[in-house]
Amino acid sequence: MPGRLSIQESQNWQAGFLPGVYQGTYIDTQHTDVQKLIDHIKNNFTAPDEQRRQLDLLLELNRKHEAARQRDPQLEARIQSFELAYRMQMDATDAFDISKESKATRDMYGQGTQARQLLIARRLLEKGVRFVQVWTGAGQPWDNHDDLEVGHRNLCRDLDQPLGALLKDLKQRGMLEDTLVIWGGEFGRTPTVEMPTPGSNAGKINGRDHNHWGYTTWLAGGGAKGGYVHGTTDEFGYKAADKPVHVHDLQATILRLMGFDHEKFTYRYAGRDFRLTDVHGHVVQELIA
């Protein structure tokens, strides 16, 4: 994600009540130098084999410490963070260096931060990273309460070529079959203009307000059906009217594409077996190839 953090900052990649080991690792993709991309990525004091021996000793001590404390999940997350940091030191210099790609590949993705971070995403997937989340811009640039046409046009211009290149690149490398690409946001925009209010859109009548009743998310690869549009909104483009898909339905379908039954995939917390879909959700079979 380029530049400053998005709204809600680090909460966006925390793991909720799951152990901290499952949370994401933030990378600031506005930089091209790997030592700026990831703090302390280079160890200037210890040779790799010596560092590995140090970590092995630290791991043994931490495991003994953890065993006496009923395997505290926060302690486990801390232990795993050391291992993750070491693996990133060993592998990240290569994974984040897009200069190792051919000129034809770099040209296919294009110029700019969006192109660079989507190309990095593909390189991470090749190295076995299971989940990669990419933000488009700092803050919340898609939240256009004013100048919607101008703002969305600029955002689409930055994203269209590299996003198309990512899908093409995954396909030509044989990776699209088992890589699920999900594009979407938290909600859509109303079909009516937002009236001027004190604040960012004061005096302007060319924006839209939040709308969670009807908006679009698309899936590609990973077993999703290609060339298919599911459902429609009403004649005003305000609310899903035909074949509405609730967010729990979308989650259930994504889990199915990943090989999980959302009704059986649970995590016990505070004495209860929790599902991602809570007590809701139906798999949308039409979305599955």
Side-chain angles (χ1 to χ4, degrees):
M1 183 181 71
R4 61 185 175 87
L5 299 177
S6 61
I7 300 301
Q8 300 303 315
E9 301 181 343
S10 62
Q11 292 182 39
N12 288 289
W13 55 86
Q14 289 177 350
F17 53 68
L18 292 176
V21 67
Y22 294 111
Q23 69 186 21
T25 299
Y26 166 68
I27 304 296
D28 187 350
T29 52
Q30 69 172 320
H31 302 295
T32 55
D33 184 346
V34 70
Q35 295 195 58
K36 293 181 179 179
L37 271 168
I38 308 171
D39 291 335
H40 313 298
I41 192 61
K42 187 176 181 181
N43 186 340
N44 296 314
F45 309 100
T46 308
D49 57 343
E50 183 179 350
Q51 184 184 9
R52 181 64 264 176
R53 290 196 301 271
Q54 288 179 345
L55 283 173
D56 288 341
L57 174 60
L58 182 61
L59 178 61
E60 183 179 350
L61 294 173
N62 279 332
R63 289 301 185 198
K64 291 180 179 179
H65 182 72
E66 180 188 32
R69 285 158 180 79
Q70 299 182 342
R71 299 197 176 278
D72 183 346
Q74 292 186 351
L75 182 55
E76 174 65 22
R78 179 64 63 86
I79 293 172
Q80 291 298 329
S81 71
F82 290 131
E83 292 299 312
L84 174 62
Y86 176 78
R87 293 197 302 272
M88 292 183 71
Q89 284 184 330
M90 296 299 102
D91 297 332
T93 302
D94 176 68
F96 290 93
D97 186 2
I98 65 171
S99 68
K100 296 185 176 182
E101 296 287 335
S102 67
K103 183 178 183 301
T105 297
R106 296 198 304 271
D107 289 346
M108 180 172 66
Y109 280 82
Q111 301 295 318
T113 301
Q114 302 302 335
R116 183 170 63 254
Q117 66 179 4
L118 283 171
L119 182 50
I120 288 173
R122 195 223 76 213
R123 290 178 63 83
L124 289 172
L125 292 170
E126 279 185 310
K127 287 189 171 292
V129 177
R130 290 184 173 185
F131 299 95
V132 179
Q133 186 177 28
V134 179
W135 267 279
T136 172
Q140 47 184 21
W142 287 93
D143 193 18
N144 291 110
H145 291 268
D146 52 45
D147 292 335
L148 182 144
E149 191 276 337
V150 174
H152 276 35
R153 183 179 294 277
N154 290 335
L155 288 165
C156 289
R157 182 184 298 114
D158 291 340
L159 188 59
D160 185 61
Q161 178 180 342
L163 189 54
L166 173 66
L167 297 177
K168 180 179 180 180
D169 203 8
L170 289 172
K171 186 174 182 179
Q172 69 185 12
R173 294 171 186 271
M175 297 173 60
L176 193 58
E177 295 178 0
D178 53 12
T179 302
L180 179 63
V181 182
I182 306 170
W183 190 97
E186 57 185 344
F187 41 56
R189 315 306 292 179
T190 58
T192 55
V193 297
E194 183 174 10
M195 299 303 292
T197 58
S200 62
N201 68 331
K204 297 183 179 182
I205 314 179
N206 56 0
R208 299 287 189 268
D209 206 345
H210 301 165
N211 180 29
H212 67 285
W213 295 109
Y215 59 98
T216 299
T217 297
W218 60 255
L219 312 177
K225 184 184 296 184
Y228 171 74
V229 178
H230 185 84
T232 60
T233 55
D234 58 30
E235 58 184 312
F236 298 107
Y238 172 68
K239 186 175 183 179
D242 178 45
K243 300 179 181 177
V245 175
H246 191 276
V247 65
H248 291 310
D249 301 333
L250 179 60
Q251 291 169 337
T253 305
I254 290 172
L255 284 173
R256 173 63 62 82
L257 289 168
M258 295 171 61
F260 297 107
D261 182 337
H262 75 105
E263 294 183 343
K264 297 179 180 178
F265 189 51
T266 62
Y267 180 80
R268 178 159 285 268
Y269 175 76
R272 175 187 163 192
D273 290 332
F274 280 84
R275 290 168 23 188
L276 176 63
T277 52
D278 196 28
V279 294
H280 311 282
H282 300 280
V283 175
V284 184
Q285 296 292 344
E286 295 93 329
L287 297 178
I288 300 176

